[in-house]
Amino acid sequence: MLIRSERFGPGPIIAIHVLAMIGVLFWLSTIVGAFVEGSSNKWLVAVVGLVLGGAHVAISRFTSLRSNRAVFAMWGVFIGDSVLAIFVNWQAIALVLFTVVLLLLTRTRSARMWFAS
């Protein structure tokens, strides 16, 4: 059964919005956590979080506009998360996999139709 909402789009599009907002919440909590804990690199965490969190906002916004720029934003997040996983913390691989799911959702038939219209 396909989940469909005329206002928000087909199921994969709704899932893209939900996952993008989860990404925003993740980065907000990471930034707040860095400041609350008094981390020595809290400003670096804030910059990275604002860039990648902002990219998640862009993913959702561009998806709403039916713009293929959403896919470019996803690739930007994928690259950023990959750099984090390689150079900062291997556990960031979970973020990379999260972004892979976003990219796979754009390949569904209904999502391709959404972006093409």
Side-chain angles (χ1 to χ4, degrees):
M1 181 169 134
L2 198 90
I3 299 172
R4 176 121 179 117
S5 168
E6 292 303 318
R7 182 171 178 204
F8 298 110
I13 297 302
I14 294 169
I16 288 170
H17 288 296
V18 169
L19 292 174
M21 289 305 108
I22 290 171
V24 170
L25 292 173
F26 169 81
W27 284 108
L28 280 174
S29 67
T30 301
I31 292 168
V32 169
F35 279 88
V36 168
E37 294 172 1
S39 176
S40 62
N41 61 351
K42 61 186 168 211
W43 291 107
L44 182 59
V45 171
V47 170
V48 171
L50 288 174
V51 169
L52 291 174
H56 283 86
V57 171
I59 289 167
S60 184
R61 182 69 182 136
F62 287 140
T63 298
S64 293
L65 297 173
R66 298 177 185 228
S67 172
N68 285 327
R69 292 179 189 169
V71 178
F72 293 116
M74 288 177 200
W75 279 107
V77 169
F78 178 80
I79 292 167
D81 289 346
S82 296
V83 168
L84 283 174
I86 293 168
F87 295 110
V88 179
N89 186 339
W90 69 270
Q91 293 172 331
I93 196 72
L95 301 175
V96 175
L97 296 174
F98 182 84
T99 308
V100 168
V101 171
L102 279 171
L103 287 163
L104 289 174
L105 285 168
T106 66
R107 303 313 313 148
T108 62
R109 183 173 179 253
S110 57
R112 288 193 319 266
M113 288 175 28
W114 173 267
F115 285 113
S117 63

